[in-house]
Amino acid sequence: IAAQLLATRGHLAGARLLPLLDAADRWHAWFATARNDPKTGAIGVVHPWESGRDNVPDWDSPLAAVSADNVTPFERRDLSHIDAAMRPTKAQYDRYIALVEFGRSVGWDQVKLRDTSPFFVCDPGMTAILMRAERALIALSEANGRDDIAQTARTRLGDLEKGLDALWSDTLGAFTTLDTRTGHRGEYISSASFLSFVAGPLDGAKTQALTAHFDRMRDACQYMVPSYDPAAPAFDEKRYWRGPVWLVVNWLIAMGFEERGDTDRAAKLRADSHALVMTGGFHEYYSPLDGAPLGGGNFTWTAAAWLDWARNTNGTD
């Protein structure tokens, strides 16, 4: 996705771009082998950390089945510089490490991890982002004489489209997680539900349902997008991915809105992100209720997301 943006702006071409096409193709192919759920075609994760949304409540039920009884003692360095109220709990970390130790026990064989780990959960966020990345790879490959890569990417994209559709919950009216071990679906909206807008075209009914959820959450929060539904019992405005706003996610969701012509909702995300940075600096994440800066300070991906928007505001690099 970043390569496509840089190429569009004239910063990436020729000898600098071509090797990235092969590298991206290999990387996407790895996901198709190691993280593609054979039953649905969606992308799953063998560890919450893979999703980037480490402790979103959607992982709570799948993690509960992971035994942490024999976890090797470890030291958490995050708590040495961040308030524990803003971080995952000890019980969650015990299970995170238990999954790491399971990976070691199978020699990090990716197919064994996918097929035998106690945790393999299909994720709408990972699936949608990879779909957007495949579209970017197709466009870049076609523009640079690599039709071979474009064709394999189209095949993968077709599988991913079926996979994302399999993550739609009629009960929730949104895309959500699917625990492949139990068949249990996430029961509330997360920011990943809205990442589906960046995946590509959606049918009218799904778009209407998702935008209704977005507007409902907009009315409940001063700043969008909360990482978890403020109406959910597990919502926590300060604790990592259980409620706070992350600018890099706003950037992706806004990209999806812009690409489908929803300029009002895209502008809302941009304005909220600007306000958060202006009052709280480039923090790791922020409260959706009062904008309080949370987590670590001086985070580069927060700065990168905002600088890209700032660049587009004044038209300079």
Side-chain angles (χ1 to χ4, degrees):
I1 297 170
Q4 184 183 35
L5 291 175
L6 289 170
T8 300
R9 296 169 187 172
H11 299 305
L12 192 61
R16 295 183 65 199
L17 174 60
L18 291 176
L20 294 181
L21 301 182
D22 286 301
D25 184 44
R26 291 193 301 271
W27 181 222
H28 293 186
W30 180 89
F31 276 103
T33 301
R35 294 295 181 268
N36 182 281
D37 174 37
K39 292 182 179 179
T40 65
I43 297 299
V45 295
V46 299
H47 197 294
W49 289 341
E50 281 193 306
S51 72
R53 307 184 326 281
D54 299 16
N55 68 326
V56 68
D58 290 343
W59 310 136
D60 290 356
S61 177
L63 275 177
V66 178
S67 173
D69 292 343
N70 299 310
V71 168
T72 304
F74 60 92
E75 177 184 355
R76 287 182 59 178
R77 297 187 181 275
D78 59 326
L79 299 184
S80 66
H81 59 280
I82 299 177
D83 187 339
M86 301 179 188
R87 298 291 298 171
T89 65
K90 181 182 184 303
Q92 289 167 337
Y93 254 88
D94 286 346
R95 286 170 170 78
Y96 298 158
I97 300 304
L99 289 173
V100 171
E101 293 182 345
F102 178 85
R104 286 181 185 160
S105 74
V106 297
W108 298 109
D109 182 304
Q110 298 301 315
V111 175
K112 284 184 179 178
L113 273 173
R114 184 194 66 189
D115 294 345
T116 67
S117 170
F119 186 100
F120 186 66
V121 183
C122 292
D123 177 34
M126 292 285 284
T127 304
I129 292 171
L130 186 56
M131 287 174 67
R132 180 64 176 78
E134 291 285 23
R135 293 182 191 281
L137 182 57
I138 291 167
L140 287 170
S141 298
E142 289 178 337
N144 288 274
R146 292 301 305 271
D147 290 341
D148 56 326
I149 292 180
Q151 185 56 47
T152 57
R154 283 194 200 94
T155 299
R156 292 191 299 256
L157 179 59
D159 292 337
L160 290 169
E161 288 172 339
K162 296 174 185 175
L164 184 64
D165 191 58
L167 300 185
W168 180 262
S169 167
D170 287 327
T171 301
L172 184 60
F175 297 100
T176 189
T177 54
L178 173 63
D179 183 351
T180 65
R181 303 305 186 233
T182 65
H184 178 78
R185 292 181 182 273
E187 297 175 354
Y188 290 92
I189 299 289
S190 74
S191 54
S193 303
F194 302 122
L195 285 171
S196 58
F197 286 125
V198 85
L202 296 174
D203 69 46
K206 288 183 173 66
T207 298
Q208 184 176 9
L210 286 165
T211 52
H213 281 302
F214 183 93
D215 293 347
R216 172 181 60 79
M217 291 168 67
R218 179 190 60 195
D219 293 341
C221 299
Q222 185 172 357
Y223 301 99
M224 288 291 279
V225 174
S227 47
Y228 207 61
D229 193 335
F235 172 80
D236 186 331
E237 65 168 307
K238 294 183 178 181
R239 194 179 293 278
Y240 217 36
W241 289 93
R242 302 178 83 85
V245 177
W246 295 73
L247 249 69
V248 69
V249 178
N250 277 8
W251 179 76
L252 283 166
I253 296 173
M255 183 186 299
F257 280 137
E258 289 169 352
E259 289 176 348
R260 67 192 56 249
D262 193 341
T263 55
D264 289 345
R265 291 184 177 87
K268 166 65 175 173
L269 292 184
R270 187 169 181 158
D272 284 3
S273 299
H274 176 266
L276 290 169
V277 167
M278 291 301 102
T279 59
F282 296 117
H283 257 69
E284 187 177 3
Y285 44 97
Y286 309 83
S287 166
L289 303 185
D290 63 11
L294 304 168
N298 299 321
F299 253 65
T300 54
W301 69 350
T302 302
W306 177 245
L307 287 172
D308 183 62
W309 267 324
R311 179 261 180 203
N312 287 332
T313 298
N314 61 30
T316 61
D317 295 333

